[in-house]
Structures are given as structure tokens and as C-alpha cells.
Amino acid sequence: MSRLVPAASGLPLLAALLAFTAAACSSADLSVTAPSSSKCQVTVDNSPSTVPATGGTGTLNVTTTRDCTWDAASAAAWVTLTGAATGQGSGAVSYRVGTNVDPATRRATLTVNNAQVVVAQDAAPCQFKVSPTSASPGPESARLTVNVETASAMCSWTVASDSSWIHVDSASKSGTGATTLTIDANTGAARSGTAVVAGQAVRVGQAGVPPPTPAPTPTPTPTPTPEPVPTPAPSPTPAPTPTPTR
């Protein structure tokens, strides 16, 4: 004969089953995650902070907790990361700085997660190559083209003349280019002057007007040789007068 169990007596068993099911689901959904980025504080020290114009290398020293990951990046094409750009925990990133050819200081930003540092690079001195640095025109008027080469369009240079007969086409220019010197005709003796182009002397030695060629001296007519005077024949010696006989 079947025995009926009061409904109230089944409640503790149902509660136990529900508690077990909830515990099982909780253990299945449990996961472990790394610290959030908001909790990972990263500090960066840059060495050196300034690089010469010729370029160089540097290091980013990253300090953070050992569980925190980080990524490094450069915002400038002239700064290249040469070491690993990612890491976990404290570490270091190497970088290389290219040559600066402009006469102006430049700066680049390097980023490690949310931390930023600035790399500064010195300005480059402007250097010029001038050619030709001398000329020897004839006495007639002439034009001389002087070429200037430099590494940056930002490098400016000047042109000046110390002689009234050497004229410049412009007082100042910039970047690689050329200037024209106009030389007056020379009506006298040889002369020399100097123009200064991009800080370098261009010496001009102009020939003088040659002296006129003297007219040829006429050849004198030779004096005719006089005819010789004939020597007269000697007179005959007269015969002696005979003495008379007595």
C-alpha cells in the first residue's frame, strides 16, 4: 500500500537541489582576468632626452607591475623602435633617431600605453657647396653662373659684391640653387674683384684691353752706290831736252 508523503516534507530536498545547481553554475562561469588597463599604471623614463643633429640611439625604461602588459609606438617617421615594442611588467624599448638636415630643432612623441615622452633633436648647421669659386673672363662684358648646394630648403644664403663692376642678381636666396654675376666690360688694364656667395669668396680676374698694335715701320730705301770715278791715265814722262854740243 502506497504511503503519501506530505507536500511540506519535500521542500528541504528541493531547496538542496536548487542550491547545488546554483553552486555548479557559479563554478563553471568563474574566470581569472589580468588587471584592467585602468589599474595598470605605467611610467616611462627616456634617456637621452635630446639627440644631436647627426642622429643616435636611446632607451625607454618602462616601469609597471609584473602582470601589466604594454605597447610602445612612435609618432614620427624619423624615430624608429629597434627593440620589442610590447612587453609585460617592467622593461625597456630601444629606438634610433635619424639625421636632422634642417636648421631647426624637432620633437617626436613616443607612447607606452597612456604614458608619453618627448624626444628632441638638435638643429643641423647649414653647410654650402659653391662652384665655381673663381673665373677669368675677357675684357668684354660677361655673365657668370655660380651654383650653390645645401641639404635643406630651409637654409638661406646671401650674395654680395665688393666691386662696382660685378653686379649680383639677388641679395638672398635659400636651398639649393644658383645666382648670376654680371661683369661689366673692361676698358682699361686687367683688374680683380670678389663676390661673396653663401659665405664663400668667388674671385673674378678680368683681362684688360690689349694695347693697340703699332703700325709697322717702313723699310728705308737703300742709298744707291755711286759709280766709281775712273782713274785718269798717267801723263807720259817728257823726254829730256838734249844738251847742245859745243
Side-chain angles (χ1 to χ4, degrees):
M1 180 175 60
S2 300
R3 184 180 177 182
L4 296 177
V5 179
S9 65
L11 290 177
L13 177 60
L14 179 60
L17 290 174
L18 292 174
F20 176 80
T21 302
C25 291
S26 298
S27 61
D29 294 338
L30 183 64
S31 62
V32 178
T33 59
S36 64
S37 58
S38 61
K39 294 182 180 179
C40 284
Q41 298 298 323
V42 174
T43 59
V44 182
D45 175 52
N46 178 35
S47 178
S49 59
T50 303
V51 180
T54 53
T57 59
T59 303
L60 299 178
N61 296 304
V62 182
T63 303
T64 187
T65 60
R66 66 178 183 177
D67 295 328
C68 289
T69 59
W70 45 266
D71 295 286
S74 169
W78 49 275
V79 180
T80 305
L81 301 181
T82 57
T86 61
Q88 181 173 346
S90 297
V93 180
S94 300
Y95 63 86
R96 180 177 297 279
V97 179
T99 302
N100 185 10
V101 298
D102 293 325
T105 301
R106 60 182 180 179
R107 290 175 172 80
T109 300
L110 303 183
T111 304
V112 180
N113 285 7
N114 294 325
Q116 293 183 337
V117 293
V118 174
V119 176
Q121 187 173 27
D122 294 335
C126 287
Q127 297 181 345
F128 304 97
K129 180 182 179 181
V130 178
S131 64
T133 56
S134 64
S136 302
E140 64 277 357
S141 62
R143 292 167 65 88
L144 175 64
T145 299
V146 181
N147 298 301
V148 177
E149 296 180 17
T150 186
S152 172
M154 298 173 62
C155 288
S156 59
W157 44 278
T158 59
V159 185
S161 170
D162 69 352
S163 302
S164 60
W165 50 276
I166 301 176
H167 309 280
V168 301
D169 62 350
S170 177
S172 63
K173 296 176 181 287
S174 62
T176 296
T179 188
T180 301
L181 306 179
T182 302
I183 302 166
D184 293 340
N186 188 5
T187 58
R191 58 187 178 179
S192 61
T194 303
V196 179
V197 179
Q200 300 183 35
V202 178
R203 294 178 173 82
V204 179
Q206 189 177 28
V209 177
T213 304
T217 303
T219 303
T221 303
T223 304
T225 304
E227 292 291 334
V229 177
T231 304
S235 300
T237 303
T241 300
T243 304
T245 304
R246 293 185 176 199

